[in-house]
Amino acid sequence: MRVPDCYEYYLKPKVISGKKALDHIAFELGGMNAKKPIIITSKKHIRTKLDKKIITAFKDSGLTIGAIYDGGPEYLDPNLAYRLNHLFRWHNCDSIIALGGKSVTEYAKALNIFAANNGKIDIFTKDTDIIAPLYPFIIVPTMDSDGYESTNSVSTGGRRFKSESLYPDLIVIDSRTTSTGTTQDAIASSLIALAHSVEAYISNNSNPMMKSFAHASIQYIFENIVKVAQNPRDKKGGIALVNAAALAGSVFSNSSSHPAHILGTILSKKTGNYAAIIMGAILPCVMELHMLKGEFDGEDFLLAAGGFDMMAATPVESHGLKSVEIVRTLTEKLHAATQNFSAYKISEYILRETASEAASSPDVHFTEAECLLVLKNSYNGTQIKKLPAAEEIITREKVSAKGGRKCV
Amino acid sequence: MRVTQCNEIIPGRKIFKRIYIAIMLFVVGRAIRAAAVHDKIVKKEFADLPDDFAFSLGVLPNGPHLVMGKDKKGKIKFLGMNPVGKRTTLKMAIKNIEAAILVFTFQESTAVAFAHDRFVVDGDLSDALAVVRILDIVEVYLLPKFIAAMAVKRYPEHSEMSLARKYIGRILIYARVVLGF
């Protein structure tokens, strides 16, 4: 195993996972000198009565819940988060609990920034650092994760803010909250976590900490996803998958290369299709491309995903191919649509635009031609057999200049 | 702005669970005192502890608690259910009432609860481990085997605790718990 000359891995959130984990929140809040949390959740989670479960967990704790807010739309609206700050101040709240996934955590993070900066609205419009210490922030993830919950970033209006202070202080994973999702939620959350974890192995700043987190995450996903997809109420499997998502979030925050994530997210925004399904289809092609470039040997991945037996039974030179094969087999088992996304009928110019936009991202270390190659092959469900030729890259650059595509 | 609960929510209390824990702590407290008289291992464990040893075992944040300690003659005393104003060298607390229920309904043994981070210990850790060993022995005396096997780390073999010692000890400890001497 290669020892890096120098590396950094920032690891902030404390994780409490397992039986009666929700009941520990009050004790942990006490340790952070907080007495009155505001709970941010969504209508979907109110329907599954998660609010009642969390109120029950606070019984006999001596704490008061400031308010429960569930009115946010699916995307983060900074104005609404700003108004939420008034509710936070009105009730003298001193901590924030995000109960749910996706937008809920984004709202909670935005609220935390506004509240800590005394409601200054320009914090999201100016490129200023988050200097003020933020309020204690706890997340209780559910199965409908988008991979950003446990990360150090928040996105609003197409912009993504990253700060180490945006990490949650505590992640609480309880079977009471993880077993309320659907099969689609479980598959989507796992595919995103898998993409994030695999990117840890192919990232150029990959380090032992990152790999160990990615290893655990991949192992949890491969051991539990099929089980949970068949029965979303599976408590142990649900906890394992949400743990995998939390681990993958930590890896994602520390890794510098996210080709599958960026390509999937951009294409999802352009076409309105589900990002997780696209990421799941893109991931094997990203692995293949890295393999052709000699940056991915599949050894660590195969150990995590297939275990010792599979790794021992596979010749060393075939570790990479076997890794890609088991990812394809997994996506096939989960859902036929994740094999390729040709059913979405995406025009080629959208793929080209996506490739161009992704190649300009600092988090993607592919050229535009390589991005396009990945997208086309994942769209058709075919394998990448060779790297794009140098002249093809030049031709595409000329086309790009002539075509006057929108520069992002 | 749509807010589900715009008013402050006071989550309430778990009265029955608190009462159950209070009864269990009361019984365990009296049983420890009785076991310190009748069982030689418990007696030795207490003898090895410091002369001014006193400990409280309870549930955060508002109790109930159990307080026990050594008097000047080295006898083990049950000092009541209120730790306020009592000098204790070791404070052991379970983080919340649900964790306490897991421990006192024997769904989790004391050792497993420690491993699951359900306890907070303020004091000498070796003293805390002695208390856990004492609790294990007391539970073997108080509970039938099929329950005690779940509550303790390892149920003692016949070579470690003979049937005669177990049953005679059980009768004497229960008598002392009920009669309170």
Side-chain angles (χ1 to χ4, degrees):
Chain A
M1 189 178 179
R2 188 177 67 86
V3 181
D5 298 329
C6 175
Y7 77 88
E8 260 184 43
Y9 193 90
Y10 191 83
L11 186 61
K12 185 182 173 189
K14 175 178 182 177
V15 180
I16 302 178
S17 170
K19 204 174 183 181
K20 305 282 180 193
L22 274 183
D23 295 81
H24 284 263
I25 295 178
F27 175 81
E28 297 297 332
L29 278 174
M32 292 185 257
N33 207 17
K35 287 175 181 162
K36 197 190 264 189
I38 185 171
I39 298 175
I40 313 290
T41 185
S42 67
K43 288 263 179 266
K44 180 182 166 188
H45 297 115
I46 295 286
R47 276 197 295 275
T48 52
K49 296 186 177 166
L50 284 190
D51 59 328
K52 298 242 163 50
K53 287 174 187 168
I54 204 159
I55 292 171
T56 307
F58 270 92
K59 277 186 179 174
D60 240 341
S61 65
L63 301 188
T64 307
I65 297 170
I68 297 180
Y69 176 76
D70 70 343
E74 281 297 299
Y75 58 90
L76 173 60
D77 176 4
N79 279 332
L80 192 56
Y82 176 68
R83 281 190 283 150
L84 203 51
N85 176 42
H86 292 299
L87 183 69
F88 184 84
R89 297 211 163 270
W90 180 260
H91 287 298
N92 289 324
C93 296
D94 53 13
S95 50
I96 300 164
I97 299 174
L99 173 63
K102 290 180 184 170
S103 58
V104 169
T105 321
E106 303 266 285
Y107 267 102
K109 283 179 183 173
L111 166 65
N112 205 353
I113 296 169
F114 284 133
N117 287 284
N118 294 320
K120 281 182 189 164
I121 192 79
D122 60 352
I123 194 82
F124 273 138
T125 53
K126 287 181 181 172
D127 281 332
T128 49
D129 292 332
I130 301 164
I131 300 164
L134 300 187
Y135 285 96
F137 175 42
I138 296 172
I139 65 166
V140 184
T142 49
M143 196 59 91
D144 56 339
S145 154
D146 68 346
Y148 282 127
E149 289 81 12
S150 53
T151 63
N152 58 351
S153 62
V154 59
S155 68
T156 169
R159 298 179 71 190
R160 181 151 286 277
F161 293 84
K162 269 180 103 169
S163 167
E164 285 181 354
S165 48
L166 282 174
Y167 275 114
D169 294 297
L170 180 67
I171 302 174
V172 180
I173 304 169
D174 191 303
S175 58
R176 284 172 282 178
T177 59
T178 57
S179 58
T180 54
T182 60
T183 302
Q184 284 77 12
D185 289 338
I187 292 174
S189 159
S190 304
L191 287 176
I192 293 172
L194 185 64
H196 290 173
S197 303
V198 171
E199 281 165 352
Y201 291 121
I202 55 185
S203 170
N204 55 3
N205 72 336
S206 179
N207 58 57
M209 289 290 286
M210 206 184 278
K211 282 184 181 174
S212 62
F213 274 59
H215 182 99
S217 173
I218 291 167
Q219 207 166 13
Y220 277 148
I221 292 168
F222 273 84
E223 282 174 6
N224 296 285
I225 180 60
V226 178
K227 214 166 44 177
V228 178
Q230 283 164 357
N231 174 24
R233 307 258 165 215
D234 186 328
K235 286 188 176 178
K236 280 191 176 174
I239 282 194
L241 288 186
V242 177
N243 263 292
L247 289 164
S250 175
V251 167
F252 179 78
S253 303
N254 285 281
S255 143
S256 66
S257 175
H258 316 295
H261 178 91
I262 300 283
L263 285 166
T265 312
I266 295 172
L267 196 56
S268 157
K269 272 185 195 160
K270 284 185 184 297
T271 60
N273 294 312
Y274 211 18
I277 301 293
I278 298 173
M279 273 185 223
I282 286 173
L283 186 60
C285 294
V286 168
M287 290 164 79
E288 277 170 352
L289 190 60
H290 275 283
M291 220 162 57
L292 289 171
K293 290 169 91 176
E295 294 166 355
F296 177 67
D297 56 10
E299 194 177 330
D300 295 327
F301 177 83
L302 194 62
L303 181 63
F308 285 109
D309 291 345
M310 187 182 282
M311 192 173 162
T314 312
V316 178
E317 61 277 9
S318 306
H319 281 171
L321 285 173
K322 186 72 180 171
S323 301
V324 177
E325 188 194 317
I326 58 172
V327 172
R328 283 193 204 278
T329 315
L330 178 76
T331 52
E332 195 179 347
K333 266 187 204 168
L334 294 179
H335 201 281
T338 54
Q339 272 288 294
N340 61 64
F341 47 95
S342 53
Y344 293 155
K345 306 282 181 210
I346 300 170
S347 307
E348 195 180 338
Y349 83 92
I350 292 180
L351 295 183
R352 283 184 185 282
E353 275 186 4
T354 306
S356 162
E357 202 174 317
S360 65
S361 165
D363 289 344
V364 177
H365 302 146
F366 286 163
T367 61
E368 191 183 327
E370 286 169 346
C371 288
L372 190 61
L373 187 71
V374 167
L375 285 173
K376 278 187 171 175
N377 280 279
S378 43
Y379 182 74
N380 298 319
T382 51
Q383 282 186 359
I384 298 179
K385 300 242 166 80
K386 60 173 186 169
L387 287 169
E391 59 269 26
E392 194 183 350
I393 298 169
I394 295 161
T395 320
R396 298 231 183 282
E397 277 168 4
K398 278 180 187 168
V399 169
S400 169
K402 274 186 181 175
R405 278 180 304 195
K406 195 172 74 176
C407 182
V408 183
Chain B
M1 186 156 56
R2 292 165 296 158
V3 182
T4 300
Q5 299 273 2
C6 59
N7 296 325
E8 287 176 355
I9 301 160
I10 298 164
R13 312 198 77 173
K14 295 174 178 172
I15 303 287
F16 292 110
K17 286 180 178 174
R18 280 174 67 85
I19 292 170
Y20 175 77
I21 300 291
I23 292 168
M24 288 301 287
L25 284 172
F26 180 78
V27 171
V28 167
R30 282 192 166 195
I32 289 175
R33 187 186 58 179
V37 177
H38 293 293
D39 188 274
K40 57 185 179 188
I41 300 173
V42 175
K43 207 183 278 181
K44 189 177 177 306
E45 289 282 6
F46 273 118
D48 292 342
L49 290 168
D51 292 340
D52 61 344
F53 177 76
F55 82 94
S56 71
L57 171 65
V59 184
L60 291 175
N62 302 317
H65 293 273
L66 125 84
V67 189
M68 301 209 65
K70 279 181 167 181
D71 66 4
K72 284 177 185 170
K73 292 175 186 171
K75 266 188 163 183
I76 305 305
K77 292 279 179 193
F78 176 47
L79 302 172
M81 305 289 283
N82 187 3
V84 178
K86 291 179 182 125
R87 190 194 53 78
T88 49
T89 54
L90 174 71
K91 291 186 182 76
M92 289 168 71
I94 304 174
K95 285 181 180 176
N96 54 64
I97 197 97
E98 286 298 332
I101 285 288
L102 287 179
V103 174
F104 287 106
T105 54
F106 316 110
Q107 294 175 59
E108 262 182 19
S109 69
T110 322
V112 170
F114 258 95
H116 287 176
D117 251 343
R118 301 202 193 275
F119 274 86
V120 182
V121 176
D122 180 8
D124 195 333
L125 198 58
S126 59
D127 291 355
L129 295 176
V131 171
V132 171
R133 286 196 294 272
I134 291 166
L135 280 173
D136 274 4
I137 296 168
V138 168
E139 280 167 356
V140 169
Y141 278 122
L142 289 180
L143 303 167
K145 187 177 178 180
F146 72 97
I147 297 176
M150 291 190 288
V152 301
K153 191 174 175 184
R154 186 176 58 82
Y155 198 83
E157 299 289 331
H158 290 306
S159 56
E160 292 166 289
M161 185 184 269
S162 66
L163 280 177
R165 185 184 144 200
K166 188 164 73 180
Y167 289 118
I168 293 167
R170 185 172 288 173
I171 291 163
L172 290 170
I173 286 169
Y174 265 114
R176 276 180 172 260
V177 166
V178 174
L179 299 172
F181 62 91

